[in-house]
Amino acid sequence: MDINTIRGLATLVALVAFLSVVFWAYSSRRKGDFDEAAALPFADDQQEGTENTDAPGSHRETHKNSQKEEQYNDE
């Protein structure tokens, strides 16, 4: 077995691995998982748009409280 045979086998193994990943990624059973993962960056935006921004513990409420504390400390 010479070096060219080993290189040919390595190329074949790499090609099979690449095609396996492509078939795995584009299989119809994975479509739902990838669609859900693709929507993750927008999930926070949808939650912020629907949540009560003045509710206790919300980001806006926390920001208001920190502003009040700063004003109190300045006085």
Side-chain angles (χ1 to χ4, degrees):
M1 186 179 284
D2 64 343
I3 190 71
N4 288 330
T5 304
I6 294 172
R7 287 179 182 164
L9 289 173
T11 302
L12 183 63
V13 168
L15 178 66
V16 169
F18 174 75
L19 291 176
S20 298
V21 170
V22 168
F23 284 121
W24 174 79
Y26 286 100
S27 69
S28 61
R29 293 189 316 183
R30 298 284 175 197
K31 184 172 177 18
D33 294 339
F34 288 127
D35 286 345
E36 182 180 331
L40 280 177
F42 306 109
D44 290 338
D45 293 340
Q46 291 174 352
Q47 288 177 353
E48 287 178 5
T50 57
E51 75 178 11
N52 184 2
T53 55
D54 290 334
S58 69
H59 176 70
R60 188 172 177 182
E61 181 69 18
T62 305
H63 182 66
K64 283 182 180 178
N65 288 340
S66 65
Q67 285 180 338
K68 288 179 183 176
E69 289 176 6
E70 287 176 6
Q71 289 175 352
Y72 178 76
N73 291 335
D74 289 341
E75 292 177 353

